[in-house]
Amino acid sequence: MKTPLPPTATEVAYQQLLAWLRDGTFPQGSMLSENDLSKRLAVSRTPVRGALRRLESDGLVTIFPQRGALVRTLTAEEARAVADARQVLESAALDSLSVEARQRLCIRLEESIQDQLTELEQGSYERVVQLTIDFHRIFVEAGGNPILLEFYDKLRQRQAAMTLRTYDDVAGRWSEFIAEHRRLVEHVRTGDRGAFLAELRSHIHHTHGSLMGPL
């Protein structure tokens, strides 16, 4: 078995910048300088530049040549667009799954919920956020369409940003969200696509309503 290659300097810079964007070190509307970031990260400007390009691809920053990168402000319109895209992608596979495939999917989803509960008990908020995103990704994985999964992964950082930017709204309500996850699993088990879509729409708005505005 081959030993995994160590992460590149660009990957390390990207992951660290991503963490800083998530935890509010760099708030929305702030300008990031390549020089300042390279000093902070103790790397050259080249990996910083590569990391910023990835963040721009994720929709989290906008690069202005010779000026730096602006941390994007997430608008209500964009939040609603992300929610709409998620609903389409997460529900796409349900109609094509056999009863047996749905049951296998439910087992994976229930295991994810258990992991969420474990991390919640340990107070690891950011880890719960990532597990929640992983939970929803499982619906898309079930469809076996790599193009749809690739597109869904493009939304991943925006999902994390939306959840982490609504911390004050969702803190202390994780048990409610997990209960909603359980209801989604039951709708998958019964194959009730209409109920699944209604629950998913309600769940997403319950989580991100302060960003999205009224239904």
Side-chain angles (χ1 to χ4, degrees):
M1 184 174 181
K2 292 183 179 180
T3 302
L5 295 174
T8 64
T10 298
E11 178 66 24
V12 172
Y14 171 76
Q15 293 297 337
Q16 183 57 68
L17 290 175
L18 191 58
W20 285 335
L21 290 174
R22 288 174 179 165
D23 68 15
T25 298
F26 299 126
Q28 298 181 71
S30 59
M31 184 68 77
L32 308 180
S33 158
E34 283 186 12
N35 281 332
D36 291 343
L37 292 175
S38 65
K39 291 176 183 176
R40 186 188 284 250
L41 293 165
V43 297
S44 70
R45 291 174 60 182
T46 299
V48 169
R49 189 174 301 119
L52 289 174
R53 285 174 182 156
R54 284 185 62 183
L55 291 172
E56 185 175 47
S57 178
D58 291 336
L60 296 178
V61 305
T62 301
I63 295 175
F64 294 93
Q66 312 304 319
R67 291 176 56 194
L70 178 70
V71 179
R72 296 187 62 234
T73 298
L74 191 65
T75 65
E77 291 77 11
E78 183 175 354
R80 287 194 291 269
V82 170
D84 289 345
R86 284 184 55 193
Q87 289 175 61
V88 171
L89 293 169
E90 292 179 31
S91 63
L94 295 186
D95 289 338
S96 63
L97 296 179
S98 66
V99 173
E100 293 77 10
R102 289 204 313 270
Q103 301 316 306
R104 290 194 297 271
L105 174 57
C106 287
I107 291 172
R108 289 191 63 197
L109 293 168
E110 288 166 347
E111 290 172 347
S112 174
I113 290 174
Q114 186 55 53
D115 289 341
Q116 294 168 44
L117 288 168
T118 298
E119 294 296 334
L120 187 60
E121 290 172 358
Q122 296 175 359
S124 178
Y125 176 72
E126 184 162 343
R127 179 62 180 151
V128 175
V129 169
Q130 293 308 308
L131 287 171
T132 294
I133 294 172
D134 290 342
F135 171 85
H136 286 278
R137 187 180 190 271
I138 292 171
F139 294 117
V140 187
E141 286 180 14
N145 187 320
I147 302 300
L148 292 182
L149 188 59
E150 179 181 357
F151 181 63
Y152 190 82
D153 284 340
K154 287 290 185 182
L155 299 175
R156 185 180 183 89
Q157 303 308 339
R158 297 191 194 194
Q159 287 177 253
M162 287 170 66
T163 303
L164 290 166
R165 285 171 181 172
T166 53
Y167 172 81
D168 291 339
D169 298 317
V170 302
R173 292 165 52 200
W174 278 106
S175 59
E176 299 172 32
F177 300 144
I178 290 175
E180 291 166 6
H181 286 175
R182 292 190 187 281
R183 288 197 292 273
L184 286 170
V185 174
E186 287 309 306
H187 295 321
V188 171
R189 196 185 311 279
T190 61
D192 190 336
R193 189 173 190 275
F196 177 88
L197 281 171
E199 185 68 42
L200 180 62
R201 176 178 170 80
S202 174
H203 172 63
I204 293 174
H205 196 272
H206 189 198
T207 309
H208 304 304
S210 62
L211 288 174
M212 296 164 54
L215 281 168

